[in-house]
Amino acid sequence: MHWHDKLRQVFRDALDLGADAEVDGLAYRAVPAWDSVGHMRLVAALESEFDVMLDTDEVIDLSCFDKACEILSRHLDG
Amino acid sequence: MILGLTAPGRDGGLALSEPSSGRALTYGALAAAVAERAAELAGDKQLAMVAASCGMDAVVCWLAAMQAGHAVMLLPPDLAAARLSTLIELYRPDLLLGWPEQSGYGPGPAGFARRFQPDGGLLHPDLCLLLSTSGSAGSPRMVRLSRRAVEANAGAIAVALALGGEDRVATTLPLSYSYGLSLLHSHLAAGAAVVLSDLSVLSRPFWDLAASCRLTSLAGVPFLWQSLRRLDLAALAPPSLRFGTQAGGRLDPRLTLHFHDIFARRGGGMITMYGQTEATARMTVLSPDQLPARAGSVGRAIPGGAIAIDGGAVVYQGANVMMGYACDRADLALADQMNGVLPTGDLGHVDEDGYLWLEGRAGRVVKVVGLRLDLDEVQARAAMLGPTAALVRGDDLIMLIAGAVPMAETRAAFAADLGVPAAAIRWRSVTAIPLGGNGKVDVAAAEALL
């Protein structure tokens, strides 16, 4: 499985969305589930599922799904 | 005028700014705008239901309604439509602000919508403000607050926090929540500035705003401070930001000291507070100069207030105590039922110097992500899903359910009904919910299943 698919699943699990929920266009606070509580759960899930540590800038820049891809690609591909 | 907006020496000082629109009001301009709208709203006392958005126009409107002697019920702007309808049915407000197109209402004064057929139900002359005890308005029960209580608490907080004209705070908590509203009121009472913003503290735009507006303090419930623990706050926070304030539940004293160290290096500190909506907002404040020695205490009673311990339970006395609760319009005619005395339902003790140390709740009322929930009520609401037991672990609400965990849509609807983020509820399937001899959930046995 490409890590983008795994990332989509991490988003669905952390934000308690449905199994088939569309997450690619998701943005922080654009849906009720991605509020500040969901945000910190998402950060924790990204860190544990991908075995990475997000720094302060990455946590506050994690504003949408695309940004999460960008941040993770730095850790995984870089 | 309300909150002393026209107090001498304030005229040219900044009162409100709204970075999203670039608008700002000095105290002189704010007082003039409030007076103008209050004149449009003059007349017999009415009930105004207001969407408490972090916007300048909304704030001016509800201050004007209070100034004109009306009673204002502040509600979350994102309140679910069904819940809003219930509240309108129960309280039959004469004026609405922020919810256009409600049936039975048409254009009214000062930007409010007016009820076509006014209820005419009596409103007690002292009634000024109605707030929900759950930050999310999950229950239709409201706290009735007098103008005297609102003014007394705003003034006392301003004194306890030594707020002055140089202070600037952003609305980092909803204004329909007593803690969030107390930020606005206490800063206005002190001649300080309030930055109206709904940006998340966990997002970069907030920190850009904190720097450009030169915020001097940051307010948050324990969840926010727990979240900030994993960030480098010393690097994020602009040099102007010297104080943190915390209320809305217990914060681990180690975290209080962690943030106190960061702020103390800037000549400020961490301020711990304790309050309830039933006391308008605040009851005690722990001054940063008591740290680290008294880390874990919630401090001393605010000026004009007093704390007593009755059989282990905390009782607060002060001018900021509510008039009582309300469950519908008829209750709004009631006079003060409390006489300035509030049994808080919290347990604690007071040390020899008058500092209060809390030791938990007397009942099953808990805080989940800063929102107050009665676990027995949560279980009652979940009854339609099957036998459940509601428990709390850390900041999560745990729902034990006999049988399968409900579908995501059902879980989302249940969370919305409680007014709690779905992600803050963890569901666990168990074979059976342990019951005690009285037929009620055996909490200890249920806890043992976790």
Side-chain angles (χ1 to χ4, degrees), chain B residues 81-164:
Chain B
R83 198 159 289 290
L84 175 63
S85 301
T86 303
L87 289 170
I88 289 176
E89 268 173 47
L90 285 172
Y91 288 96
R92 303 188 293 278
D94 309 290
L95 299 167
L96 282 182
L97 185 73
W99 291 293
E101 317 278 313
Q102 290 294 321
S103 75
Y105 291 81
F112 286 81
R114 189 207 309 266
R115 193 180 178 94
F116 290 131
Q117 292 171 306
D119 178 71
L122 191 66
L123 298 163
H124 193 278
D126 293 343
L127 186 63
C128 172
L129 178 64
L130 291 154
L131 293 176
S132 168
T133 49
S134 74
S136 59
S139 154
R141 189 175 74 163
M142 294 283 155
V143 165
R144 294 182 286 126
L145 298 164
S146 67
R147 170 95 174 249
R148 177 167 166 259
V150 171
E151 301 268 7
N153 206 220
I157 297 167
V159 171
L161 269 52
L163 296 175

Side-chain angles (χ1 to χ4, degrees), chain B residues 30-263:
Chain B
L30 175 60
V34 168
E36 185 186 327
R37 290 220 173 80
E40 292 172 43
L41 291 163
D44 290 344
K45 192 175 184 92
Q46 298 189 311
L47 174 63
M49 202 178 261
V50 174
S53 70
C54 295
M56 191 174 281
D57 291 327
V59 170
V60 168
C61 278
W62 85 62
L63 290 176
M66 289 181 188
Q67 173 66 22
H70 301 307
V72 175
M73 182 187 292
L74 292 180
L75 296 169
D78 57 355
L79 197 62
R83 198 159 289 290
L84 175 63
S85 301
T86 303
L87 289 170
I88 289 176
E89 268 173 47
L90 285 172
Y91 288 96
R92 303 188 293 278
D94 309 290
L95 299 167
L96 282 182
L97 185 73
W99 291 293
E101 317 278 313
Q102 290 294 321
S103 75
Y105 291 81
F112 286 81
R114 189 207 309 266
R115 193 180 178 94
F116 290 131
Q117 292 171 306
D119 178 71
L122 191 66
L123 298 163
H124 193 278
D126 293 343
L127 186 63
C128 172
L129 178 64
L130 291 154
L131 293 176
S132 168
T133 49
S134 74
S136 59
S139 154
R141 189 175 74 163
M142 294 283 155
V143 165
R144 294 182 286 126
L145 298 164
S146 67
R147 170 95 174 249
R148 177 167 166 259
V150 171
E151 301 268 7
N153 206 220
I157 297 167
V159 171
L161 269 52
L163 296 175
E166 301 303 307
D167 286 294
R168 285 188 185 195
V169 76
T171 51
T172 48
L173 299 148
L175 292 174
S176 54
Y177 170 39
S178 56
Y179 182 15
L181 189 64
S182 77
L183 290 179
L184 176 77
H185 286 173
S186 61
H187 281 72
L188 290 179
V194 179
V195 178
L196 298 168
S197 146
D198 60 3
L199 296 173
S200 163
V201 178
L202 302 174
S203 70
R204 181 166 307 278
F206 175 82
W207 294 102
D208 292 343
L209 174 141
S212 64
C213 294
R214 295 191 302 281
L215 298 185
T216 58
S217 74
L218 176 66
V221 295
F223 172 76
L224 177 74
W225 295 107
Q226 287 155 10
S227 303
L228 289 174
R229 175 68 182 90
R230 72 172 309 302
L231 305 182
D232 183 359
L233 185 64
L236 262 187
S240 59
L241 191 64
R242 295 186 300 120
F243 287 95
T245 66
Q246 178 262 315
R250 182 179 182 276
L251 182 66
D252 187 326
R254 288 171 297 185
L255 283 186
T256 303
L257 291 175
H258 166 78
F259 292 111
H260 180 68
D261 282 346
I262 293 171
F263 290 124

Side-chain angles (χ1 to χ4, degrees), chain B residues 382-402:
Chain B
M384 56 195 249
L385 304 176
T388 63
L391 305 169
V392 160
R393 270 285 179 280
D395 214 28
D396 287 342
L397 175 63
I398 313 278
M399 294 300 296
L400 294 184
I401 183 159

